Amino acid sequence: MKEAHLDIRGSITRLLEEEAVQKGLSFIKADNDRTTEEQIELTEIEAPTFQEQVRGNVYKAKLEEVGIKDITIDEVGNVFGTRKGKGDGPALVLCAHLDTVFPSGTDVKAKWRDGKVFAPGIADDGRGLAVVLAIAKALQHTEIETAGDLIIGATVGEEGLGDLRGVKHLFSSRHDIDGFISVEPGEPERTTYLGTGSKRYEVTYEGPGGHSFGAFGTANPIHALGKAIAKISTLSVPAEPKTTYNVGIIHGGTSINTISETATMFVDMRSNSQEELQKLESTVLRMIQQAADEENAFRGKSNEITVTSKLVGDRPAGSQSSESAIVQVAQETTAALGFTPVLDSASSTDSNVPIHLGIPAVTLGGGGKAGGFHTLQEYYDPTDAYIGVQKVFLTVLALLGCAGVTEPLLEKREKAVTSHGTY
Ligand SMILES: [Zn+2]
């Protein structure tokens, strides 16, 4: 493997010897309180998934203010600009997500208590958004010239039924990206490099319905739904790669003495392997149809009950080697800052999409302590949070290369390949 020959540790050591890099690290440390203030300012602009426009506009203005060029808001609402490198280097994306899980009208005003700031979305992903801006500022402040280009900004639709639509759009609309970093709340030593995939279906059984006594013998959608759940609930799935299923919501029925006309369930399936996810999906879809067929057959009917399965969530799974350059660089910068690097287990983040496409990607912890994610008690503690920013800063510099100091550790990909599947 080519990457094994890269002198990652040596490159990071050389970067740390550079005066401009040290200046950047000091700037980031001194900028800790201001970064927190900006994090609060962004968090206090509500941004539910699908309603990220207002926050997106503010974010664009902030990137402009720092001096990032060619900033655009694309069709779906992603905000990205470019900090050009010297030329002929790789292109790296650095981003966070604009959206939160909190509906419009949620009180997002920040409140300080015991050194922590409480506000829904303050950490996820208020922290990431603030870190990305802090990196832009540190780069501009130090006037460091990178070899490759930094594509810097924020995505929409990372949460829930947003279904990673921002990052999917990014990768379907441009094919010049060689690497990807997303910043999420988390300790600075943590790196996520595997993506958990998911498929979610809304399944609806429909039939003619009728009186429970008078129309007895009519095929029953609720009974069909019950048969489907009985089948799904005893499915064996591998523990490794972790693969799971869940029927999370059921509804249907009008009264106790009515044969219902409809019955609906929501099924969630996940796996760290795309292959296992696809296997599970086709098995579950087959069982859903079988349940309708069995209910019809039992009542001596054909097609009295029909079933539709609507895909409402589709996040690709992806894995890459922990030896890949992007993962190793993140690990080494963590160690260089005096921390023991930790590789996180797979999760679902914007990085899923590039990892699935075979493009090197990691999700990095933005620093500070945080908790209560996705709840109204979400909080963030900014103590020593700058270490997260420093780690991202060094990782970006090492991957893009620092003109005249180090070569890029991120490899330029063949741009001729544009068969990116559906994303
Ligand atoms: Zn997040």
Side-chain angles (χ1 to χ4, degrees), residues 46 61 82 104 125 162 180 184 186 258 278 296 300 327 338 354 360 362 403:
E46 58 176 43
T82 305
S104 156
D125 195 14
F180 182 92
E184 291 274 0
T258 302
Q278 274 161 357
N296 283 324
V327 179
V362 283

Side-chain angles (χ1 to χ4, degrees), residues 5 24 55 71 145 154 173 185 207 223 225 233 257 259-260 277 296 307 332 338 361-362 404 409 418-420:
H5 303 296
R55 190 184 280 185
I71 309 165
E145 188 179 27
S173 58
H223 293 187
L225 183 92
S233 61
N257 54 346
I259 299 167
S260 177
L277 184 61
N296 283 324
V307 60
E332 286 292 340
V362 283
L409 295 174
T418 51
S419 54
H420 271 176

Side-chain angles (χ1 to χ4, degrees), residues 97 124-125 158-159 184:
H97 62 89
D124 187 10
D125 195 14
E158 193 271 346
E159 299 283 6
E184 291 274 0

Side-chain angles (χ1 to χ4, degrees), residues 223-244:
H223 293 187
L225 183 92
K227 286 183 170 73
I229 295 174
K231 288 171 188 293
I232 294 167
S233 61
T234 54
L235 254 174
S236 298
V237 281
E240 205 48 62
K242 188 172 178 180
T243 303
T244 64

